[in-house]
Amino acid sequence: MDKPKLKHNKKRNTAFLYEALVKELTKAAVEKNETTKRQIVSVLKEFFSTGRPLARELDVYKTLYETKEVDKEIAKSLVNESKRVYFGLSQPDIFNEQSRLISKVNKDIGKSVFQHFMPNYKNLATISQIFDLDIPIKTRIILEQTLVDYLTIGESTFKQLEPIDNIVYKTFVKKFNEKYNISLLEEQKKLLTKYIMTEHDDVEFKIYLNEEIGRIKKIISESSSIKSNKDFDKLMLMLESFKEKQIDTRLLEDIMYLQVLVKETE
């Protein structure tokens, strides 16, 4: 069963906030940044100590995203009991604490905390969405079934069971091939796969995208055949404009077109 694609505000996902802070703490430890370490530890103690609203909500999340390979009936019971406990929590208190936490992180630690790549981000988002009463009942039931599959099968196998990504991939490839009448290059496959399989605003994807644009720009600027083309200046302007553009399928198509262009010069 396909997993619905829904809008998700990661800053209102307590599990994401916690995991992002832990990642930032690990980074600070590796870099021996004692000041940042102390700040993060202080924030974690303030907001996630036993009994605090966010700590209680995090416990519900952890029950679900840290459980693997259980019996299907147990998985269903875990989802139902987690929902019961979650809806017994004070949502206004949670929202207010999240707002305070976000503000404190922005002010004392830095917005980069929210840009950490989370391998289990999709699962954290799914859990958040089954607790969202604004989402249609049918959609929530589908999401719950997806979560039951995850709890039953385990993460490594679960990731292979997300047909929606294959559908998105094939649809985009079909449209691109129809427009340009070419088969995808390896560089294009890599770009498209990373776009579909990661969150587009995460640091890892942005770093990769900047590197790929830099590679294309270098080849174009050093190619005598492209330099002699009357559209050379337009191509360079297009590359510069990518810095200001939103990351979406239109930008992706422009980059894939340039990947074809530079391949032909090699």
Side-chain angles (χ1 to χ4, degrees):
M1 186 173 288
D2 291 353
K3 181 178 174 181
K5 291 284 186 181
L6 301 166
K7 291 283 186 181
H8 174 247
N9 184 352
K10 63 185 179 183
K11 290 185 181 180
R12 291 294 171 181
N13 184 320
T14 294
F16 172 83
L17 294 174
Y18 175 79
E19 295 290 339
L21 282 166
V22 171
K23 277 210 167 192
E24 191 70 15
L25 179 61
T26 303
K27 177 184 172 186
V30 170
E31 295 175 351
K32 302 188 186 314
N33 187 334
E34 296 300 322
T35 301
T36 301
K37 273 176 61 179
R38 285 195 297 270
Q39 288 173 326
I40 297 171
V41 170
S42 175
V43 168
L44 288 170
K45 286 181 178 179
E46 179 180 353
F47 290 92
F48 292 99
S49 293
T50 303
R52 300 292 301 174
L54 297 189
R56 295 175 65 194
E57 185 185 26
L58 180 63
D59 284 342
V60 179
Y61 272 87
K62 283 188 171 184
T63 297
L64 296 174
Y65 76 80
E66 290 185 350
T67 301
K68 305 286 190 306
E69 300 179 23
V70 297
D71 177 86
K72 195 157 193 172
E73 290 306 310
I74 293 176
K76 289 180 180 178
S77 296
L78 282 171
V79 171
N80 289 332
E81 182 63 11
S82 295
K83 285 166 57 184
R84 184 192 69 77
V85 172
Y86 181 87
F87 290 120
L89 301 176
S90 172
Q91 299 309 310
D93 285 351
I94 288 172
F95 185 87
N96 291 336
E97 285 289 273
Q98 285 175 337
S99 297
R100 283 207 315 117
L101 174 57
I102 293 165
S103 176
K104 198 170 187 67
V105 169
N106 284 334
K107 181 181 176 182
D108 298 342
I109 304 173
K111 295 181 180 179
S112 60
V113 171
F114 304 119
Q115 296 177 336
H116 278 296
F117 170 69
M118 299 292 173
N120 64 341
Y121 178 81
K122 289 183 180 180
N123 300 330
L124 298 182
T126 298
I127 294 168
S128 175
Q129 288 159 349
I130 69 170
F131 298 143
D132 187 348
L133 295 178
D134 291 332
I135 291 177
I137 294 174
K138 179 180 177 181
T139 303
R140 271 190 286 127
I141 289 174
I142 293 173
L143 289 168
E144 286 176 24
Q145 182 58 53
T146 300
L147 188 55
V148 167
D149 290 341
Y150 166 74
L151 296 172
T152 306
I153 298 168
E155 187 172 15
S156 60
T157 309
F158 175 77
K159 286 183 177 178
Q160 299 171 16
L161 299 177
E162 292 186 306
I164 188 67
D165 289 329
N166 289 332
I167 293 170
V168 173
Y169 188 101
K170 289 177 181 177
T171 300
F172 189 97
V173 171
K174 183 174 182 290
K175 288 181 179 179
F176 187 87
N177 287 346
E178 286 174 351
K179 185 171 183 178
Y180 294 102
N181 193 30
I182 60 169
S183 296
L184 288 188
L185 303 169
E186 284 304 313
E187 301 95 316
Q188 292 172 319
K189 291 178 183 177
K190 184 177 180 181
L191 174 66
L192 183 52
T193 300
K194 282 183 175 290
Y195 175 81
I196 292 170
M197 298 303 292
T198 64
E199 291 299 315
H200 312 151
D201 63 344
D202 72 50
V203 175
E204 185 177 284
F205 182 77
K206 284 184 176 179
I207 290 173
Y208 165 76
L209 196 61
N210 286 334
E211 289 176 347
E212 181 60 6
I213 292 171
R215 182 187 72 85
I216 292 170
K217 187 175 181 179
K218 184 175 185 294
I219 294 174
I220 288 178
S221 63
E222 294 176 353
S223 170
S224 56
S225 61
I226 298 179
K227 277 185 175 180
S228 62
N229 190 297
K230 61 182 178 64
D231 292 326
F232 173 76
D233 289 337
K234 290 182 181 178
L235 290 174
M236 296 304 289
L237 284 173
M238 179 190 292
L239 282 163
E240 287 299 322
S241 72
F242 287 165
K243 297 176 184 176
E244 309 299 327
K245 287 187 177 180
Q246 179 182 351
I247 299 175
D248 56 20
T249 53
R250 187 164 185 174
L251 175 64
L252 199 71
E253 188 175 313
D254 287 341
I255 295 173
M256 290 173 72
Y257 164 75
L258 292 174
Q259 285 175 322
V260 174
L261 182 66
V262 299
K263 188 69 175 178
E264 292 173 349
T265 68
E266 295 178 0

